[in-house]
Amino acid sequence: MRSITLWLLFLHVAAALWITAGVFGSTVVRAQVKRVRSATLKAMGYRLLWRLHVIYTLPGLVISGFLGFYLVTATGFRFSELWVMASSLLYLLMFLWTLFAVTPALARARDVGAAAAEATGEAPELDVPGLRLAGILSDVNALVILLLVFLMVVKP
């Protein structure tokens, strides 16, 4: 393997760790936000979820994906191999539902939380459309990351 390919592989793994920090970190924050009754604390939790998403999950998702697709061809693998097809499909599904379902729901949650925190001190239930689905998809992202790691390491 050439030197540049090794550096790109390192960046790919670093970006994968970056996305993992966002996905698994948001799982912990989301669990705590569910337990909170204060609108101010819920708003802070929603802002934290948004920051984790924007700083870790999205950049890690984009960078690891682009480098991963490049590394398939640079290292001599083919897209016709089963593990590459499965990895590509899982990644593309994760990318699409993160971009078009999770991101808008977290943006709405951030905005609704901020508005509720200003209006009242108590918020046992803040109704954010799509937030439950976004949480489920974030948990599915965690599972997909584990499957992708398995496929990348074992290459069955």
Side-chain angles (χ1 to χ4, degrees), residues 57-80:
T57 304
L58 288 178
L61 190 63
V62 170
I63 294 168
S64 66
F66 285 135
L67 288 174
F69 283 119
Y70 170 76
L71 287 168
V72 167
T73 57
T75 55
F77 294 108
R78 292 186 171 85
F79 283 99
S80 60

Side-chain angles (χ1 to χ4, degrees), residues 13-23 55-57 59-61:
V13 172
L17 290 172
W18 199 257
I19 184 178
T20 302
V23 169
I55 292 175
Y56 289 101
T57 304
L61 190 63

Side-chain angles (χ1 to χ4, degrees), residues 109-121:
R110 179 198 61 204
D111 296 341
V112 166
E118 291 175 8
T120 179

Side-chain angles (χ1 to χ4, degrees), residues 19 61 90-98 141 144-145 148:
I19 184 178
L61 190 63
L90 286 171
Y91 169 78
L92 290 172
L93 287 172
M94 184 170 65
F95 180 79
L96 290 173
W97 69 56
T98 298
N141 279 350
V144 169
I145 288 171
L148 287 172

Side-chain angles (χ1 to χ4, degrees), residues 1-11 70-71 74:
M1 222 185 289
R2 294 184 329 205
S3 175
I4 188 74
T5 305
L6 284 175
W7 278 106
L8 292 175
L9 179 61
F10 166 74
L11 291 175
Y70 170 76
L71 287 168

Side-chain angles (χ1 to χ4, degrees), residues 14-35:
L17 290 172
W18 199 257
I19 184 178
T20 302
V23 169
F24 285 89
S26 68
T27 301
V28 173
V29 172
R30 210 173 39 258
Q32 295 306 311
V33 168
K34 286 181 185 177
R35 304 172 87 192

